[in-house]
Amino acid sequence: MMKPTRNRPPWRPPPKKPNTGQKEPVGVYCRVRPLSPPDQECCIEVINETTVQLHPPDGCKVTRNGEYKETQYSFKQVFGVLVTQKDLFDDVAKPLVEDLIRGKNGLLFTYGVTGSGKTYTMTGSPGQGGLLPRCLNMIFNSISPFQAKRYVFKTDDRNGIEVQNEVDALLERQKREAQPQVISRTPLSRQRVEPEFADMINIEDHCKVDDVDEDSVYSVFVSYIEIYNNYIYDLLEEVSIDPIKPKPPQSKILREDQNHNMYIAGCTEVEVKTTEEAFDVFWRGQKRRRIANTQLNRESSRSHSVFMIKLAQAPLDADGDNVLQEKEQVTVSQLSLVDLAGSERTNRTKAEGNRLREAGNINQSLMTLRTCIEILRENQMCGTNKMVPYRDSKLTHLFKNYFDGEGKVRMIVCVNPKADDHEESLQVMRFAEMTQEVEVARPVDKPICGLTPGRRYRNQAFKEELTRRLEDRGGPVNGESDDQVVMEMLIQSFPPIPSCELLDANDDQTLPRLIDALEKRRRIRQMMAEEFNNNVTSFRAMLQDLNGLVSAKETIAQGKMSEKERTIMSQKSEMERMEKKIKTLEYKIDILEKTTNIYEEEKRTLQHDLENQNQKLQRQLSDKRRLEARLQGAVNENAMKWEKECERRVAAKQIEMQNKLWVKDEKLKQLKAIVTETKGERPQRPSREKDREREPKVPIRSISPSPVPTVPPVHARHRRSRSAGAERWVDHKPPGNVETDTVMQPQVPNAIKVVVASEKALAKCDKYMLTHQQLASDGEIETKLIKGDVFRTRGGGQSVQFTDMETLRQGSPPGSSRKRRSSESNQHPQAESTADWTDVETRCSVAVEMRPGSNLGPSYQHHAIPKRRKP
C-alpha cells in the first residue's frame, strides 16, 4: 500500500527589495604613495586629477616587437603623494558617514599590492589619523547630544535591534556592571588612553553632519572580524585560555536574516559612546590580526579585516521624552570598512609552508571578487542574466547585499610607484578600471515616522520654564541634579497625552480628548505646586538656622581647602609627568616586543635554514667519502690489472727471446756447416718443408705498431702507397721532417707539396696528407701519414676531415759486440757453445734458403720469425 504524499507548502521566492530605478557606478579612487627611498626608479606618473600613467621600468619590454608601451588609467579622482589624510576623507569617506546617519548603508575597501599603503590609508599613523578614526570622530560629533543611554538599544541574535524601556535598561546596566566584562565598557575618559593610538584619534578639525534628526535617539555598535584562509574569525571574541591545552579560535558562520541581508552569526557587537572607546575596541582586535614577515613587507597582513559600524536610531514619542517601543520604527544602518590583504606573486615573497598557503587563499579570494565584478559588468552591459558566484568566497558572500543595491560602494586603489611592483600594479589598475563600469542601485530613503517635529526641544523648553517658575517662587536652584530628577519623576507621573494626529476634517473626538488630558495635567500640576510651596516654606526656616552654623564652618574650611588644593595641584602635575613618561615607556616596550617577535621569527627561520644546510653538507661529505672510496677501489683495481698485464707482457717477451735464441742457434749451426764443408763433400741440407708449412709468412708492410717487434722486410721495389690514385693530393711535410732513406718512403704522384698549410693548395685538391714524425719507445723514428678528405664550406673556405692514418716504422737488427772465434776444424759442431756468435748476425737477420739452379733470383724464399699471438 502506497503512503499518501505529504502536502508541502509551495515555494515562494523571497520578496524583492524595492528598486527606485536609479543607479550609480561604483566609486573608484586611486592613491599613489611616495617612493621610499625617493631615489628609486618610478613607473607611475600622475597626469591630472583623474588620470595616471604607467610606463615600464628600464629593461622591461612589453610588446613583442620590443617597443616600450605606456598605458593610462582614469578614475573618479586621483590622489598624489602630497594629498593629506583629511583631503582623502573629505572626498571619499565623508559622504558615506552622512548616508550612515541618514539610515543608508556604505562599503569602503582598500585594494592594492602588499606595501602600497592600504593599512596606512585605513588606520593611519600617530599624528595622521586614517579613514577609520575620522569616520568614528565624525559620527560621534554629530550624534553625541542625541545618544541614548547604554542598553536602551539591544542587539539580538538575528541581526536585529530591540528597544528597551528606561527601567529595563537600568537593570541591564546594573547587571553588566556587577559582572566582570571581557571588553571594558567604561568610557575612556576615565581610563588611560594607550599612547599607540592617542595621536590617531586626536583630530583637530571638528567635522560633523549638519542635518541630524534631533527628534531621534542614536546608539553605535561596532564589530571587528577577519577573513583568514577563507574562514571568518571574531577578533573581539574572548575565550578562556587553558595553559595546558589551549583551544584554537572557532570560525563563524554566515547567515541570512529575514530581510535577506547577510550577517555573521555569533559575532561580538560592542556598544560604544565615544570615539576613544570605539577606537580602543578596534585596537584590541587589531593586535589579534594575523600578520607575518614576508620578503615584501615586515608586517604583511595575511587576512582581510572588516570593521563594521552599526548605527541604530529610533524616534522619540509624542512628548519628546521617551523612545518609541515599536520595533518597526527602529532604523539600522551599517558602514563596513574593509582592509584587503595584499595581492602579489609568491615567487616575489619567497613564501613557503603556511605563508604559501595563506598567499594562495588571499589570491583566490581576490580572484573571486574580480570574477563577481566581471559577471556583474557583463550582465549590466550585455543584458545577460548569469549567476554571480558570491558563494565561492566568504569575502564576496558577506558583501553581496551591497552590490545588489543595499548601499553605496567605494574603493580606494593604493599603488606603489616603484619599478618592482610594475606588473602587479598593471593588474590592479585593470581591475579597478573595470570596477568603475559596474552600477549599483541607490538605497531607498527611510520613511518618516509621522510625529510632530521639534518634540525634543519643546520638552526641554517646558522643563526649563517649569524650573524657572519654581525658582521664582523660592524653589530649587537651577543646575542641581536632584531637582532635575524630581522634575523628571513629576512629569512621568502625569497622564499620557493621547495622539493628536488629525486624519479627518470632521474629527470631533481627538481635540476633546486632548483638552481633557491637558486639563487633568494642569490640575495635577497646580496641586503639586501648592504642596511644594508649603514644603519649601518650612524647609526654608530650617535652612536659615543652619546657614549661620555653616558660614562659620565654611570660613575654617576655606583655609584648609586652600592648603589642600596647593598640595593636590603639585601632586597632580607630578602625576601627569609620570603618566606621560609611562605612556612613552609603554609605547617603546610595545615596539620592542614587536621587534623581538619579528627577530625571533627570523631567528627560527635562519636556524631552520642552517639545519637544512648542515644536513645538505653532511650528505655532500658522505657522498664525497663514498666517491673517494669508489675511486680508490678503481685505482687499486686498475693497478692490479696493469701489474697482471706487465707480468703477461714480460712472460711473452721471455718466450719471444727464447724463440729468437733457438732460431739463432739453428742459423749458426747451418752457417758452421757451410763454412766447414770440404770441396769433395757437400752436406745435405736438412729439410725445412715442415718448418715452412708451420711458420707463417711475415707481412712486408706494417700498418700499425705491434707489441711484438718484427723483422724489417726486404723488397727490391718501392712500396706503392694507398695515397696513389687519380685524386689530387696535398703533401704537407713540415720542415722538421727527417729523410729515412728507406724503401718505405711514400710516393704520391701529381701532389702539391707544401711546408705550411695553404688555402690555395686545399682549393685545388681533393685529398690531404700530413706527415708526422716522432720517436718510438725503442728510440727509432716512427713516421705517421695522416690522411683526409677536403670539403667546401658554406662560407667559401675549405675544411679537412681526417679518415685514415698509416704508421711507418724503421727497425734495426739486434746488434752484438761478440766476434767470431777461431775454432779447430776437427771440433764437433755439437760441442760448440751456443754463446759463440759470428758477425754474420749483424748483417742478416733472416735465413735464406736457395733452391738448386737459382742464383738469388726472384724465386727466393726467406724465413722470418713468426708473429705470436697474445696469450
Side-chain angles (χ1 to χ4, degrees):
M1 183 177 178
M2 296 181 61
K3 296 182 179 180
T5 58
R6 296 180 59 187
N7 294 326
R8 296 182 178 178
W11 179 83
R12 295 180 180 177
K16 293 185 178 180
K17 297 171 182 177
N19 189 2
T20 59
Q22 298 180 352
K23 292 185 177 182
E24 60 179 4
V26 176
V28 180
Y29 303 83
C30 179
R31 186 179 195 185
V32 183
R33 67 162 290 176
L35 282 173
S36 178
D39 56 349
Q40 281 186 335
E41 182 183 1
C42 180
C43 65
I44 296 178
E45 181 182 358
V46 179
I47 303 299
N48 51 40
E49 294 182 355
T50 60
T51 308
V52 293
Q53 178 174 319
L54 271 74
H55 55 83
D58 296 340
C60 177
K61 294 182 179 179
V62 177
T63 57
R64 292 183 178 180
N65 56 6
E67 296 179 356
Y68 292 98
K69 183 178 179 181
E70 296 180 350
T71 55
Q72 291 186 359
Y73 298 92
S74 298
F75 300 93
K76 189 172 183 179
Q77 191 169 352
V78 176
F79 301 98
V81 297
L82 301 179
V83 175
T84 62
Q85 298 276 51
K86 180 182 182 301
D87 298 336
L88 182 68
F89 170 77
D90 292 340
D91 293 332
V92 181
K94 187 176 180 180
L96 296 179
V97 177
E98 293 175 352
D99 289 345
L100 177 71
I101 296 178
R102 296 188 183 101
K104 300 177 183 179
N105 298 330
L107 172 63
L108 172 62
F109 57 92
T110 56
Y111 180 76
V113 188
T114 296
S116 58
K118 301 184 299 299
T119 304
Y120 171 77
T121 300
M122 186 62 69
T123 308
S125 63
Q128 292 290 332
L131 299 180
L132 191 146
R134 291 179 183 273
C135 289
L136 293 173
N137 187 56
M138 182 177 180
I139 291 171
F140 287 105
N141 288 341
S142 304
I143 67 171
S144 58
F146 317 115
Q147 288 194 77
K149 294 182 180 180
R150 202 179 294 271
Y151 304 120
V152 171
F153 292 94
K154 183 179 179 182
T155 59
D156 56 11
D157 297 334
R158 296 176 300 278
N159 200 30
I161 298 292
E162 298 177 352
V163 182
Q164 298 186 126
N165 54 32
E166 292 289 341
V167 177
D168 294 337
L170 180 60
L171 295 176
E172 184 75 16
R173 285 195 296 270
Q174 294 176 354
K175 180 180 177 181
R176 295 293 182 92
E177 291 174 0
Q179 296 177 356
Q181 297 296 322
V182 176
I183 298 178
S184 177
R185 270 82 172 181
T186 307
L188 286 192
S189 58
R190 304 177 187 175
Q191 296 180 353
R192 178 179 53 84
V193 181
E194 294 191 15
E196 291 178 88
F197 63 86
D199 293 334
M200 295 184 187
I201 60 177
N202 188 14
I203 300 172
E204 297 179 357
D205 53 326
H206 192 76
C207 183
K208 69 174 185 176
V209 180
D210 296 330
D211 52 347
V212 180
D213 187 5
E214 299 171 349
D215 294 323
S216 298
V217 290
Y218 301 86
S219 185
V220 179
F221 298 86
V222 295
S223 57
Y224 197 19
I225 64 165
E226 70 171 352
I227 302 176
Y228 175 72
N229 286 340
N230 208 24
Y231 290 99
I232 300 176
Y233 297 98
D234 186 3
L235 296 177
L236 303 180
E237 183 181 17
E238 292 287 349
V239 295
S240 57
I241 301 176
D242 189 356
I244 300 176
K245 190 177 181 181
K247 295 181 180 180
Q250 298 295 323
S251 61
K252 301 299 180 181
I253 302 175
L254 277 176
R255 297 190 185 277
E256 190 174 15
D257 62 5
Q258 59 182 0
N259 297 323
H260 306 287
N261 295 324
M262 302 306 300
Y263 71 98
I264 302 164
C267 181
T268 305
E269 293 183 341
V270 183
E271 185 179 6
V272 291
K273 295 299 180 183
T274 60
T275 305
E276 292 81 3
E277 187 178 353
F279 202 79
D280 176 61
V281 174
F282 163 76
W283 200 255
R284 290 169 190 249
Q286 184 75 2
K287 292 180 179 179
R288 300 177 185 174
R289 279 197 65 188
R290 288 171 171 87
I291 59 174
N293 181 15
T294 64
Q295 193 75 13
L296 302 180
N297 193 354
R298 184 175 291 274
E299 293 186 2
S300 176
S301 301
R302 313 311 298 162
S303 63
H304 310 298
S305 68
V306 183
F307 187 77
M308 291 176 285
I309 305 172
K310 185 180 292 186
L311 179 64
Q313 51 183 311
L316 294 172
D317 56 7
D319 293 335
D321 196 22
N322 298 320
V323 184
L324 283 178
Q325 302 297 317
E326 300 177 6
K327 190 174 183 181
E328 293 77 11
Q329 295 294 336
V330 179
T331 303
V332 180
S333 56
Q334 181 171 302
L335 175 61
S336 299
L337 304 175
V338 186
D339 183 11
L340 297 177
S343 62
E344 70 277 338
R345 293 175 294 175
T346 55
N347 58 354
R348 289 190 61 201
T349 58
K350 309 297 180 184
E352 296 179 356
N354 292 333
R355 300 288 88 78
L356 182 61
R357 178 168 171 263
E358 292 168 356
N361 287 310
I362 291 171
N363 294 335
Q364 181 65 32
S365 61
L366 295 177
M367 185 61 66
T368 304
L369 176 62
R370 181 168 187 167
T371 304
C372 295
I373 295 295
E374 289 177 352
I375 296 178
L376 281 172
R377 172 175 169 268
E378 183 180 354
N379 290 342
Q380 294 175 4
M381 298 184 66
C382 303
T384 58
N385 193 18
K386 292 184 179 180
M387 185 184 69
V388 183
Y390 290 118
R391 293 178 177 270
D392 291 352
S393 174
K394 292 293 194 305
L395 178 66
T396 54
H397 194 194
L398 178 61
F399 298 116
K400 83 179 188 65
N401 303 106
Y402 289 94
F403 293 100
D404 290 341
E406 284 296 324
K408 290 184 179 180
V409 180
R410 297 288 183 268
M411 180 173 70
I412 301 177
V413 177
C414 300
V415 290
N416 193 338
K418 66 178 182 180
D420 295 339
D421 292 347
H422 176 260
E423 295 185 8
E424 285 83 357
S425 298
L426 277 177
Q427 301 297 328
V428 170
M429 291 293 187
R430 291 169 185 168
F431 169 68
E433 195 173 41
M434 177 189 62
T435 306
Q436 295 181 112
E437 301 177 2
V438 176
E439 293 183 348
V440 179
R442 290 184 179 179
V444 183
D445 295 334
K446 67 176 182 177
I448 301 175
C449 64
L451 297 176
T452 307
R455 301 181 299 278
R456 182 190 295 270
Y457 287 114
R458 282 201 302 271
N459 187 25
Q460 290 180 358
F462 173 73
K463 292 179 181 179
E464 291 176 358
E465 181 65 19
L466 182 61
T467 305
R468 187 183 64 77
R469 291 186 179 183
L470 290 175
E471 290 178 356
D472 293 342
R473 297 178 182 181
V477 182
N478 186 19
E480 295 183 1
S481 60
D482 293 338
D483 296 340
Q484 295 291 337
V485 174
V486 171
M487 293 300 299
E488 290 181 1
M489 293 177 62
L490 291 176
I491 293 173
Q492 290 179 3
S493 63
F494 291 164
I497 298 176
S499 177
C500 59
E501 184 177 3
L502 296 176
L503 301 178
D504 190 4
N506 299 322
D507 188 3
D508 55 355
Q509 296 179 1
T510 303
L511 291 178
R513 285 200 304 266
L514 181 61
I515 293 172
D516 293 339
L518 292 176
E519 286 294 335
K520 291 180 181 180
R521 291 170 69 98
R522 186 181 64 81
R523 287 194 296 270
I524 294 173
R525 193 163 49 245
Q526 289 178 355
M527 291 174 59
M528 295 176 65
E530 292 176 359
E531 185 179 358
F532 184 78
N533 291 330
N534 295 329
N535 293 332
V536 166
T537 304
S538 60
F539 189 71
R540 184 176 297 173
M542 296 174 62
L543 287 177
Q544 288 177 356
D545 296 337
L546 296 174
N547 193 17
L549 297 174
V550 171
S551 59
K553 293 182 179 180
E554 282 181 356
T555 305
I556 300 173
Q558 285 290 339
K560 295 182 179 180
M561 288 295 295
S562 60
E563 295 178 1
K564 294 293 183 181
E565 284 179 357
R566 288 193 294 270
T567 306
I568 290 173
M569 291 299 296
S570 61
Q571 292 179 356
K572 187 179 293 185
S573 60
E574 182 68 18
M575 287 177 63
E576 290 178 355
R577 188 182 64 82
M578 296 300 293
E579 284 181 355
K580 291 181 180 179
K581 187 175 180 180
I582 289 172
K583 291 178 184 178
T584 306
L585 293 177
E586 287 180 352
Y587 181 67
K588 291 182 179 179
I589 289 171
D590 200 359
I591 294 176
L592 291 176
E593 287 179 353
K594 290 183 178 179
T595 308
T596 304
N597 295 333
I598 294 171
Y599 285 150
E600 286 179 354
E601 184 69 22
E602 291 181 353
K603 180 181 177 182
R604 286 193 292 269
T605 304
L606 293 176
Q607 286 179 352
H608 182 66
D609 295 341
L610 181 61
E611 292 176 358
N612 293 338
Q613 293 294 334
N614 289 334
Q615 293 177 1
K616 184 177 180 182
L617 183 60
Q618 292 296 331
R619 288 195 298 269
Q620 291 179 355
L621 291 176
S622 61
D623 293 343
K624 182 179 178 181
R625 285 194 292 268
R626 285 197 298 270
L627 183 60
E628 288 178 354
R630 193 180 305 162
L631 291 175
Q632 187 66 28
V635 169
N636 295 336
E637 184 179 355
N638 199 11
M640 293 176 64
K641 180 179 178 181
W642 280 107
E643 286 179 1
K644 292 180 180 180
E645 181 68 19
C646 291
E647 292 177 357
R648 184 185 63 76
R649 291 187 182 183
V650 169
K653 199 71 174 179
Q654 289 177 355
I655 295 173
E656 181 184 352
M657 296 304 294
Q658 290 177 2
N659 292 337
K660 285 183 179 182
L661 289 177
W662 179 81
V663 171
K664 289 182 180 181
D665 288 342
E666 291 295 324
K667 292 178 182 180
L668 186 59
K669 289 179 182 179
Q670 292 177 8
L671 289 176
K672 281 188 178 181
I674 293 172
V675 173
T676 56
E677 68 179 355
T678 57
K679 295 180 179 181
E681 297 178 347
R682 184 180 295 273
Q684 296 291 332
R685 182 185 300 274
S687 177
R688 304 284 295 198
E689 294 295 332
K690 295 181 179 180
D691 296 335
R692 285 196 298 270
E693 292 175 358
R694 186 171 65 249
E695 296 176 357
K697 295 182 179 180
V698 177
I700 297 176
R701 173 177 161 200
S702 175
I703 300 301
S704 60
S706 175
V708 180
T710 58
V711 178
V714 179
H715 203 282
R717 294 178 297 174
H718 284 287
R719 167 186 172 275
R720 181 175 178 81
S721 173
R722 276 192 284 172
S723 303
E727 298 91 349
R728 293 290 300 274
W729 286 78
V730 176
D731 188 4
H732 182 187
K733 291 184 178 180
N737 283 357
V738 179
E739 298 293 337
T740 56
D741 298 330
T742 62
V743 297
M744 301 299 292
Q745 291 293 333
Q747 298 294 331
V748 183
N750 299 327
I752 300 177
K753 296 184 179 181
V754 295
V755 179
V756 182
S758 173
E759 294 184 2
K760 294 182 179 180
L762 289 175
K764 298 178 182 178
C765 300
D766 300 328
K767 300 287 184 178
Y768 178 83
M769 181 177 68
L770 174 64
T771 304
H772 173 68
Q773 289 183 343
Q774 65 181 6
L775 291 177
S777 59
D778 55 356
E780 299 295 341
I781 296 177
E782 182 180 75
T783 303
K784 291 184 179 179
L785 303 179
I786 306 172
K787 302 177 183 180
D789 298 330
V790 180
F791 295 95
R792 302 293 187 271
T793 60
R794 292 185 179 180
Q798 292 81 25
S799 63
V800 179
Q801 181 179 1
F802 293 102
T803 59
D804 193 11
M805 184 174 68
E806 295 183 8
T807 303
L808 306 179
R809 186 174 180 182
Q810 181 179 3
S812 300
S816 176
S817 60
R818 286 175 278 190
K819 301 294 183 179
R820 184 175 61 181
R821 297 180 181 178
S822 59
S823 58
E824 297 180 358
S825 60
N826 57 355
Q827 189 177 2
H828 198 274
Q830 294 181 353
E832 224 175 65
S833 173
T834 59
D836 296 334
W837 300 86
T838 63
D839 56 355
V840 179
E841 184 179 350
T842 64
R843 298 193 301 273
C844 181
S845 61
V846 299
V848 181
E849 180 181 1
M850 299 296 299
R851 293 182 178 179
S854 65
N855 188 13
L856 294 177
S859 61
Y860 78 95
Q861 292 182 354
H862 67 280
H863 301 280
I865 301 172
K867 183 176 180 182
R868 296 180 60 85
R869 296 181 179 178
K870 295 182 179 179

